Amino acid sequence: LILDKALTLELAQFEDSEFYDKLNRARQEASVKPLSLVNRTFALAQNAVRSRIGRGFIAVRDSEVAAQSLGVDLLRYKALAFGISGFYAGIAGGLYSALLNFVSPESYDLFQMVLHKTMVVVGGLGSIVGSVLGAGTIVSLLELLRKVKGAQEIAFGAILVGFILFMPGGIVGKLKEKLRGWDEPLHRGRRRHVDAAAVPVARPDAR
């Protein structure tokens, strides 16, 4: 009992110390820095998609034969896509390990793979904004189902199959249906709308 009281007193003094204030300040800064990092990587991904490299990725994704016929180097672009995906996976793994304060092989099991696949499918395949929306949706559901851990895998499996069958476009597909004119352009510049009435039409000579 005496030792418990002494330990409680020491902990109370430790909480009132200057070191504890610095620790709280460091934790607050650590919660802000990942947000800025996420914003920068999001902007980097958008710029990459709107660049020549991103359009090459889209061409390879849609049809390898057509992309190769247009002069796209398949090996180069596939290796580049693998490297960029590894870069983003490394950043995500670093932030995840900093959140858990512990890293082990068991933290990156099959459930994590299913979870990330579900995020992409729910948000919308081929969309950067959809990936962010899907990640936010799945993380929110994960927090709601935290008390029922055994049902998480079943729930996310059902969500994945449901979106593949009934909403293959994901959340972004529904947004494009509801919000007309909303799109993710593949060019950095603004698209110029050409008035059809202003375009001269060649007419056959009347004889």
Side-chain angles (χ1 to χ4, degrees), residues 10 24-25 52 55 57 60 63 71 102 114 137 161 169 180 185:
E10 289 181 2
N24 281 333
R25 197 177 303 113
R52 180 181 178 182
R55 292 191 290 273
F57 287 157
V60 173
S63 175
F102 179 74
V114 174
T137 303
V161 174
R180 294 183 178 180

Side-chain angles (χ1 to χ4, degrees), residues 32 103 114 146 153 189 192 194:
V32 174
V103 179
V114 174
R146 184 173 293 276
E153 299 180 3
R192 294 180 295 179
V194 180

